[in-house]
Amino acid sequence: MTVDWLTVWLTVKLATTTTLVLLLLGTPLAWWLAGSRAWWRELVGTLVALPLVLPPTVLGFYLLLMLGPDGPVGAVTQTLGLGTLPFTFPGLVVGSVIYSLPFVVQPIRNAFEATGTRPLEVAATLRASPLRRFFTVAIPLARPGFLTGAVLGFAHTVGEFGVILMIGGNIPGQTKVISVAIYDHVESLEWSQAHWLSGAMLLFSFLVVYTMYHTERRLRREGM
Protein backbone atom coordinates (compact mmCIF):
# COMPACT_ATOMS: atom_id res chain seq x y z
CA MET A 1 0.00 0.00 0.00
CA THR A 2 1.36 3.43 -0.96
CA VAL A 3 0.60 6.66 0.85
CA ASP A 4 -0.48 9.63 -1.25
CA TRP A 5 1.60 12.23 0.53
CA LEU A 6 0.47 14.91 -1.91
CA THR A 7 -3.09 14.48 -0.62
CA VAL A 8 -1.85 14.64 2.99
CA TRP A 9 0.20 17.76 2.24
CA LEU A 10 -2.74 19.44 0.49
CA THR A 11 -4.97 18.71 3.51
CA VAL A 12 -2.45 20.19 5.95
CA LYS A 13 -1.91 23.19 3.69
CA LEU A 14 -5.66 23.83 3.45
CA ALA A 15 -6.21 23.49 7.20
CA THR A 16 -3.26 25.75 8.03
CA THR A 17 -4.25 28.43 5.53
CA THR A 18 -7.88 28.33 6.65
CA THR A 19 -6.94 28.59 10.33
CA LEU A 20 -4.68 31.61 9.76
CA VAL A 21 -7.34 33.39 7.71
CA LEU A 22 -9.99 32.61 10.33
CA LEU A 23 -7.83 33.98 13.15
CA LEU A 24 -7.24 37.20 11.20
CA LEU A 25 -10.88 37.66 10.28
CA GLY A 26 -12.49 36.04 13.29
CA THR A 27 -10.64 37.96 16.01
CA PRO A 28 -12.09 41.42 15.25
CA LEU A 29 -15.48 39.85 14.56
CA ALA A 30 -15.43 38.01 17.91
CA TRP A 31 -14.32 41.22 19.67
CA TRP A 32 -17.21 43.13 18.14
CA LEU A 33 -19.73 40.42 19.01
CA ALA A 34 -18.47 40.33 22.59
CA GLY A 35 -18.62 44.06 23.17
CA SER A 36 -21.17 45.55 20.81
CA ARG A 37 -24.59 46.67 22.02
CA ALA A 38 -26.07 47.01 18.55
CA TRP A 39 -29.53 45.50 18.21
CA TRP A 40 -28.42 43.49 15.19
CA ARG A 41 -25.44 41.93 16.99
CA GLU A 42 -27.20 38.62 17.58
CA LEU A 43 -28.37 38.58 13.98
CA VAL A 44 -24.73 38.65 12.91
CA GLY A 45 -23.94 36.04 15.56
CA THR A 46 -26.67 33.82 14.16
CA LEU A 47 -25.25 34.12 10.65
CA VAL A 48 -21.79 33.23 11.96
CA ALA A 49 -23.16 30.15 13.74
CA LEU A 50 -25.33 29.04 10.82
CA PRO A 51 -22.78 26.51 9.44
CA LEU A 52 -23.15 24.56 12.69
CA VAL A 53 -26.64 23.41 11.66
CA LEU A 54 -26.66 23.99 7.91
CA PRO A 55 -26.04 20.81 5.88
CA PRO A 56 -22.62 21.04 4.22
CA THR A 57 -24.09 20.20 0.82
CA VAL A 58 -26.49 23.14 1.07
CA LEU A 59 -23.67 25.53 1.93
CA GLY A 60 -21.50 24.05 -0.79
CA PHE A 61 -24.30 24.35 -3.34
CA TYR A 62 -24.88 28.06 -2.68
CA LEU A 63 -21.15 28.76 -2.60
CA LEU A 64 -20.87 27.02 -5.95
CA LEU A 65 -23.55 29.29 -7.37
CA MET A 66 -22.03 32.45 -5.88
CA LEU A 67 -18.45 31.68 -6.90
CA GLY A 68 -19.31 30.20 -10.30
CA PRO A 69 -19.12 32.06 -13.62
CA ASP A 70 -22.73 33.26 -13.35
CA GLY A 71 -22.57 34.20 -9.67
CA PRO A 72 -21.90 37.67 -8.21
CA VAL A 73 -18.51 36.75 -6.75
CA GLY A 74 -17.55 34.81 -9.87
CA ALA A 75 -18.35 37.83 -12.03
CA VAL A 76 -16.02 39.98 -9.92
CA THR A 77 -13.15 37.49 -9.95
CA GLN A 78 -13.46 37.09 -13.72
CA THR A 79 -13.47 40.86 -14.20
CA LEU A 80 -10.27 41.05 -12.16
CA GLY A 81 -8.72 38.36 -14.35
CA LEU A 82 -8.65 35.77 -11.57
CA GLY A 83 -10.98 33.30 -13.24
CA THR A 84 -13.48 31.41 -11.12
CA LEU A 85 -12.83 29.90 -7.70
CA PRO A 86 -14.74 26.60 -7.81
CA PHE A 87 -12.53 23.52 -8.29
CA THR A 88 -9.40 25.42 -7.25
CA PHE A 89 -7.42 25.56 -4.03
CA PRO A 90 -8.40 29.20 -3.32
CA GLY A 91 -12.01 28.11 -3.72
CA LEU A 92 -11.45 25.42 -1.09
CA VAL A 93 -10.03 28.06 1.26
CA VAL A 94 -13.08 30.30 0.79
CA GLY A 95 -15.47 27.42 1.45
CA SER A 96 -13.48 26.17 4.44
CA VAL A 97 -13.29 29.64 6.00
CA ILE A 98 -17.06 30.06 5.84
CA TYR A 99 -17.80 26.52 7.02
CA SER A 100 -15.35 26.60 9.93
CA LEU A 101 -16.07 30.21 10.95
CA PRO A 102 -18.18 29.42 14.06
CA PHE A 103 -15.58 26.98 15.38
CA VAL A 104 -13.06 29.82 15.63
CA VAL A 105 -15.22 32.87 16.34
CA GLN A 106 -17.35 31.39 19.14
CA PRO A 107 -14.50 30.28 21.47
CA ILE A 108 -12.73 33.62 21.03
CA ARG A 109 -15.96 35.51 21.65
CA ASN A 110 -16.61 33.49 24.80
CA ALA A 111 -13.07 34.22 26.01
CA PHE A 112 -13.50 37.97 25.44
CA GLU A 113 -16.85 37.93 27.26
CA ALA A 114 -15.39 35.97 30.18
CA THR A 115 -12.60 38.53 30.55
CA GLY A 116 -15.10 41.28 31.22
CA THR A 117 -14.52 45.02 31.07
CA ARG A 118 -12.72 45.50 34.38
CA PRO A 119 -9.15 44.79 33.12
CA LEU A 120 -9.72 47.13 30.17
CA GLU A 121 -11.03 49.86 32.45
CA VAL A 122 -7.94 49.55 34.64
CA ALA A 123 -5.71 49.82 31.57
CA ALA A 124 -7.66 52.87 30.44
CA THR A 125 -6.97 54.61 33.77
CA LEU A 126 -3.28 54.08 33.01
CA ARG A 127 -3.84 55.99 29.74
CA ALA A 128 -3.48 52.97 27.48
CA SER A 129 -5.00 53.57 24.05
CA PRO A 130 -7.89 51.33 22.86
CA LEU A 131 -5.56 49.57 20.43
CA ARG A 132 -2.95 48.99 23.12
CA ARG A 133 -5.59 47.72 25.55
CA PHE A 134 -6.74 45.26 22.92
CA PHE A 135 -3.30 43.83 22.17
CA THR A 136 -1.76 43.95 25.65
CA VAL A 137 -4.78 43.15 27.83
CA ALA A 138 -7.68 41.59 25.93
CA ILE A 139 -5.76 39.19 23.70
CA PRO A 140 -3.41 37.80 26.40
CA LEU A 141 -6.35 37.20 28.74
CA ALA A 142 -8.26 35.44 25.96
CA ARG A 143 -5.44 33.01 25.13
CA PRO A 144 -7.45 29.87 25.99
CA GLY A 145 -10.15 30.97 23.55
CA PHE A 146 -7.61 31.55 20.80
CA LEU A 147 -6.05 28.15 21.43
CA THR A 148 -9.43 26.41 21.33
CA GLY A 149 -10.51 28.31 18.22
CA ALA A 150 -7.29 27.59 16.34
CA VAL A 151 -7.31 23.89 17.19
CA LEU A 152 -11.00 23.44 16.37
CA GLY A 153 -10.68 25.41 13.14
CA PHE A 154 -7.71 23.34 12.01
CA ALA A 155 -9.24 20.00 12.98
CA HIS A 156 -12.63 20.84 11.51
CA THR A 157 -11.06 21.81 8.19
CA VAL A 158 -9.07 18.57 8.09
CA GLY A 159 -12.29 16.60 8.49
CA GLU A 160 -14.42 18.52 5.98
CA PHE A 161 -16.09 16.54 3.23
CA GLY A 162 -19.42 17.89 1.97
CA VAL A 163 -18.38 21.47 1.27
CA ILE A 164 -15.03 20.33 -0.13
CA LEU A 165 -16.62 17.87 -2.53
CA MET A 166 -19.26 20.38 -3.69
CA ILE A 167 -16.95 23.30 -4.32
CA GLY A 168 -13.66 21.54 -5.04
CA GLY A 169 -14.52 18.22 -6.59
CA ASN A 170 -11.85 15.55 -6.63
CA ILE A 171 -8.82 16.82 -8.54
CA PRO A 172 -5.56 15.11 -7.47
CA GLY A 173 -2.95 17.61 -6.37
CA GLN A 174 -5.40 20.52 -6.42
CA THR A 175 -8.56 19.78 -4.45
CA LYS A 176 -8.33 16.14 -3.37
CA VAL A 177 -7.95 16.07 0.42
CA ILE A 178 -7.91 13.17 2.87
CA SER A 179 -11.67 13.04 3.47
CA VAL A 180 -12.31 12.84 -0.27
CA ALA A 181 -9.56 10.22 -0.66
CA ILE A 182 -11.27 8.02 1.96
CA TYR A 183 -14.53 8.31 0.01
CA ASP A 184 -12.69 7.31 -3.18
CA HIS A 185 -11.15 4.24 -1.53
CA VAL A 186 -14.51 3.10 -0.17
CA GLU A 187 -16.17 3.52 -3.57
CA SER A 188 -13.37 1.48 -5.15
CA LEU A 189 -13.63 -1.18 -2.41
CA GLU A 190 -10.03 -0.46 -1.39
CA TRP A 191 -10.66 -1.27 2.24
CA SER A 192 -7.06 -1.34 3.45
CA GLN A 193 -6.35 2.18 2.17
CA ALA A 194 -9.65 3.41 3.63
CA HIS A 195 -8.83 1.76 6.98
CA TRP A 196 -5.36 3.32 7.06
CA LEU A 197 -6.54 6.86 6.35
CA SER A 198 -9.62 6.57 8.59
CA GLY A 199 -7.56 5.19 11.46
CA ALA A 200 -5.04 8.01 11.07
CA MET A 201 -7.88 10.55 11.13
CA LEU A 202 -9.36 8.92 14.23
CA LEU A 203 -6.01 9.09 16.04
CA PHE A 204 -5.48 12.67 14.89
CA SER A 205 -8.91 13.73 16.16
CA PHE A 206 -8.33 12.10 19.55
CA LEU A 207 -4.94 13.78 19.97
CA VAL A 208 -6.34 17.15 18.94
CA VAL A 209 -9.18 17.04 21.47
CA TYR A 210 -6.95 15.71 24.26
CA THR A 211 -4.24 18.31 23.64
CA MET A 212 -6.78 21.12 23.44
CA TYR A 213 -8.46 20.27 26.75
CA HIS A 214 -5.17 19.60 28.51
CA THR A 215 -3.57 22.85 27.36
CA GLU A 216 -6.68 24.92 28.01
CA ARG A 217 -6.96 23.62 31.58
CA ARG A 218 -3.27 24.35 32.17
CA LEU A 219 -3.66 27.91 30.90
CA ARG A 220 -6.68 28.47 33.14
CA ARG A 221 -4.81 27.13 36.17
CA GLU A 222 -2.00 29.59 35.40
CA GLY A 223 -4.54 32.41 35.43
CA MET A 224 -4.43 33.09 31.69
Side-chain angles (χ1 to χ4, degrees):
M1 183 186 66
T2 59
V3 179
D4 188 354
W5 291 112
L6 182 58
T7 297
V8 175
W9 160 244
L10 187 66
T11 305
V12 174
K13 179 182 175 182
L14 175 63
T16 303
T17 304
T18 299
T19 303
L20 292 176
V21 172
L22 281 171
L23 288 174
L24 289 175
L25 297 180
T27 299
L29 178 57
W31 176 252
W32 180 82
L33 288 171
S36 175
R37 295 184 178 180
W39 65 268
W40 43 280
R41 179 187 69 169
E42 292 309 323
L43 178 61
V44 175
T46 301
L47 291 175
V48 170
L50 196 59
L52 291 173
V53 296
L54 193 66
T57 49
V58 173
L59 180 59
F61 171 69
Y62 282 112
L63 283 174
L64 195 60
L65 293 181
M66 290 180 62
L67 303 179
D70 299 324
V73 178
V76 173
T77 56
Q78 289 182 98
T79 301
L80 296 176
L82 302 176
T84 55
L85 294 177
F87 308 108
T88 65
F89 182 79
L92 291 187
V93 173
V94 172
S96 298
V97 165
I98 295 175
Y99 191 48
S100 296
L101 186 63
F103 292 89
V104 176
V105 171
Q106 197 58 49
I108 299 176
R109 176 186 178 179
N110 292 340
F112 282 144
E113 290 177 342
T115 299
T117 59
R118 180 61 179 169
L120 299 174
E121 292 170 353
V122 172
T125 63
L126 299 175
R127 297 185 178 181
S129 66
L131 192 62
R132 186 173 183 181
R133 295 198 298 268
F134 177 73
F135 282 105
T136 62
V137 179
I139 287 185
L141 290 177
R143 273 179 58 188
F146 279 94
L147 172 66
T148 301
V151 171
L152 287 179
F154 186 92
H156 188 255
T157 302
V158 168
E160 284 181 36
F161 176 72
V163 172
I164 293 293
L165 193 61
M166 289 290 290
I167 200 172
N170 185 7
I171 306 174
Q174 298 183 44
T175 63
K176 184 177 181 178
V177 294
I178 291 177
S179 58
V180 177
I182 293 173
Y183 177 77
D184 273 354
H185 290 316
V186 172
E187 274 204 323
S188 303
L189 301 181
E190 297 170 348
W191 302 112
S192 60
Q193 291 91 333
H195 273 303
W196 192 91
L197 286 176
S198 298
M201 289 291 288
L202 179 62
L203 178 62
F204 168 78
S205 300
F206 176 83
L207 291 176
V208 163
V209 174
Y210 177 81
T211 303
M212 180 185 67
Y213 283 133
H214 177 75
T215 307
E216 185 177 6
R217 290 181 63 185
R218 179 176 60 81
L219 289 175
R220 294 190 185 282
R221 284 197 302 268
E222 294 173 356
M224 298 301 295

